[in-house]
Amino acid sequence: MSEADAPVRRGAGRPTREQAAARHEELLDTALDLFLENGFDVTTVEMIASRVNMTKRTIYARYPDKSALFLAAVHRAVDGQIVPREVLEGFDSGDLTRTLESVARLRIDQVMTPNGLRLQRIINTEGYRFPEIFVANYERSAGPVIDFVAGVLDRAIADGTIAPIDTDQAARAFMSMVVGGQVRSIVAGRPPSAAQLEERVGFTVRLLLDGLRPR
């Protein structure tokens, strides 16, 4: 057995299912950190194994190569950004403005978390190499929120609050305007203050709704 494959620490016995799950989560979190710090090309399985005190053999038993480990780490980060449907529905107060503002704040707050920042930065730096991470992030995280907003707008059309429109496109435009601009600043290390955030969210929601009022 080579030195790189030698176990770094020994346990007192076979780990419990909970311990094994925790170690796996630690592996994926650490891998994502290293991929972000060093880039995909420079980061090696040996580096990751050393950081988490695992053998390469243990990692390769679960992931056949570095790409598979990278994708698993990113998918774990995406899963951490998923908003349960019941949480979104809890924002639907019947007041269209307040509902949209609440959804916008939620998505911006998510990006400002350590997990959200890591995910956005890794997508920005490695998305050209792994375009599937864009798809995964949209389908599992952003997409359901856009669908919820489109449903809220559908009901607003039905009750005459806004004019008939393509609500899917309107929801996408809303998320791009109110969240996208803030995300770029946050990821660049220039997050808005709480007061700035409130002002920008309120302005964007008013801008959207003013353009959708029945003529």
Side-chain angles (χ1 to χ4, degrees):
M1 180 183 296
S2 68
E3 181 179 348
D5 285 330
V8 177
R9 63 186 181 192
R10 299 179 185 274
R14 187 177 184 85
T16 66
R17 182 177 301 177
E18 291 77 14
Q19 290 171 331
R23 286 287 283 154
H24 182 224
E25 291 173 358
E26 180 186 4
L27 166 64
L28 296 182
D29 286 342
T30 301
L32 192 60
D33 284 338
L34 286 172
F35 283 126
L36 188 55
E37 290 171 15
N38 305 298
F40 181 83
D41 287 329
V42 173
T43 302
T44 64
V45 173
E46 288 88 347
M47 291 167 60
I48 297 167
S50 176
R51 181 73 65 90
V52 294
N53 292 324
M54 278 186 186
T55 66
K56 290 192 300 177
R57 183 174 301 170
T58 298
I59 295 174
Y60 282 126
R62 185 181 287 266
Y63 299 107
D65 53 37
K66 184 171 69 170
S67 293
L69 177 58
F70 172 82
L71 290 173
V74 174
H75 285 305
R76 171 170 162 73
V78 170
D79 288 343
Q81 298 298 98
I82 294 173
V83 183
R85 181 72 184 187
E86 57 268 24
V87 171
L88 291 172
E89 290 174 349
F91 291 144
D92 193 358
S93 63
D95 183 309
L96 182 57
T97 298
R98 290 182 181 177
T99 298
L100 294 179
E101 288 177 346
S102 295
V103 172
R105 290 191 199 98
L106 170 70
R107 292 298 287 174
I108 295 169
D109 286 346
Q110 283 186 302
V111 177
M112 297 177 75
T113 64
N115 183 69
L117 281 171
R118 287 192 311 173
L119 178 60
Q120 290 298 322
R121 286 170 176 161
I122 205 73
I123 287 175
N124 289 347
T125 57
E126 301 294 348
Y128 75 95
R129 189 196 310 268
F130 297 96
E132 60 265 45
I133 64 181
F134 282 108
V135 177
N137 189 49
Y138 176 81
E139 290 183 346
R140 290 152 55 188
S141 178
V145 180
I146 290 173
D147 290 344
F148 171 77
V149 171
V152 170
L153 295 177
D154 282 332
R155 291 194 296 276
I157 292 172
D159 65 24
T161 302
I162 62 175
I165 52 164
D166 182 327
T167 53
D168 181 67
Q169 287 193 35
R172 292 170 187 266
F174 166 69
M175 296 303 292
S176 177
M177 289 189 300
V178 76
V179 179
Q182 309 313 313
V183 168
R184 286 188 287 273
S185 295
I186 293 165
V187 172
R190 300 189 300 273
S193 66
Q196 289 174 325
L197 189 57
E198 286 300 306
E199 179 183 2
R200 293 172 188 178
V201 167
F203 175 82
T204 307
V205 170
R206 290 193 302 273
L207 183 67
L208 174 74
L209 295 183
D210 286 347
L212 297 181
R213 303 292 182 193
R215 303 301 182 189

